[in-house]
Amino acid sequence: ATLLSPWAHAELIDDMNDRGELRIALEANMPPFNFKDDGKLTGFEVELGQALATELDVRAEFVVTTRDDLLPGVESGKYDIALNQVAVTDELKDRLAFSEPYSYSSAQLIVRKQETRPLGTLAALKGHSLGVVQGSQFAEQARSVEGADLHSYPDASQTLKDVAGDQIDAAISDRLLVPYAIRDSQQAVTEGATVGPILSLAIPFQKGNPAFQSAVDNALQRIKADGRLAALSQKWFGMDASKPPKR
């Protein structure tokens, strides 16, 4: 058999159309982005994935995977795309192609309701303890805080318990997750300042697929133009995150 060069692979758009499905990787453990409710997948990115597949005239096939497998799986072509709160970075752009952004976010601090100290910036956390969820895109930002005592947690719920119980001074998370996490935790914590740069959340897929890129971007534009994206954003985040926040 003749060995095909890696450049001779079929365009992703043809693969997707032949299968009649869009394979979407997610972790299903990040409410309100994507999670399981009574065993059923739901959340902002699940509804967005369904709308995207409808626009592309295929079925949405969600595959629940781990953080370690998610992006390598997209890179290798095991999954067509990931919808998993992925923020675009220069490092990731070396490995993957990205759609236009579907949401914008930034880091936000979470503090105790009774907090009186001026913990309004990352610099103000010098000499204080700061909680962050392992592997989140904010772990990097948290590490950049000089003189802060960093505590790493497997998930947001314990982090908020420790802020409420005065075990740590503050936590850092995604501003889109914070209202939901606070409501869900029923802890005596409140929203602090938004900090750091604005992040663009976008859809990663394998490089070298211009027809697929243009189909996904066009589908996203239609979902934005008729107000569906803003409505999904309001439903799940309580704000329209489809446009960059005004600073």
Side-chain angles (χ1 to χ4, degrees):
T2 339
L3 285 174
L4 290 172
S5 88
W7 304 112
H9 74 279
E11 238 275 10
L12 186 51
I13 191 96
D14 299 323
D15 281 353
M16 178 192 74
N17 286 330
D18 288 347
R19 289 191 311 266
E21 68 182 22
L22 178 65
R23 289 181 303 207
I24 304 168
L26 38 68
E27 283 181 82
N29 62 0
M30 290 195 297
F33 282 94
N34 60 71
F35 60 106
K36 283 190 170 172
D37 187 16
D38 279 342
K40 188 173 174 290
L41 276 175
T42 188
F44 171 75
E45 287 169 329
V46 173
E47 290 198 33
L48 176 59
Q50 286 159 341
L52 199 58
T54 302
E55 287 295 330
L56 295 167
D57 207 18
V58 290
R59 287 187 312 280
E61 177 63 34
F62 292 100
V63 188
V64 176
T65 185
T66 61
R67 187 171 289 262
D68 291 344
D69 173 62
L70 188 93
L71 294 179
V74 172
E75 212 173 345
S76 70
K78 181 161 54 160
Y79 314 119
D80 299 328
I81 64 171
L83 271 173
N84 201 69
Q85 199 198 359
V86 179
V88 182
T89 63
D90 289 339
E91 189 190 356
L92 285 181
K93 274 160 78 174
D94 287 343
R95 295 168 46 196
L96 296 152
F98 279 92
S99 70
E100 62 174 56
Y102 58 83
S103 283
Y104 296 89
S105 193
S106 62
Q108 184 167 23
L109 298 176
I110 301 166
V111 294
R112 282 183 309 132
K113 272 197 173 147
Q114 314 88 304
E115 187 57 75
T116 52
R117 294 166 295 182
L119 303 177
T121 63
L122 286 177
L125 290 162
K126 185 175 181 176
H128 294 288
S129 49
L130 178 63
V132 66
V133 174
Q134 287 159 8
S136 76
Q137 60 244 35
F138 304 105
E140 207 53 52
Q141 250 173 289
R143 274 196 287 275
S144 74
V145 185
E146 205 182 322
D149 174 20
L150 213 57
H151 294 243
S152 202
Y153 292 86
D155 60 52
S157 60
Q158 189 57 48
T159 323
L160 298 195
K161 271 187 195 142
D162 280 7
V163 172
D166 212 9
Q167 301 297 304
I168 56 174
D169 295 311
I172 188 170
S173 187
D174 186 319
R175 82 177 180 112
L176 300 179
L177 281 176
V178 168
Y180 193 95
I182 288 175
R183 194 174 70 227
D184 208 39
S185 74
Q186 298 184 322
Q187 299 291 329
V189 291
T190 189
E191 296 177 32
T194 51
V195 291
I198 289 167
L199 303 172
S200 302
L201 304 185
I203 302 170
F205 50 91
Q206 216 178 25
K207 281 190 159 192
N209 290 289
F212 183 79
Q213 174 140 22
S214 126
V216 168
D217 278 344
N218 287 337
L220 268 178
Q221 276 159 14
R222 291 193 294 274
I223 295 166
K224 280 181 185 175
D226 65 8
R228 273 178 292 167
L229 189 61
L232 276 181
S233 192
Q234 283 289 357
K235 172 182 172 179
W236 289 104
F237 305 131
M239 65 180 97
D240 180 7
S242 66
K243 299 179 187 73
K246 291 182 175 65
R247 282 285 167 94

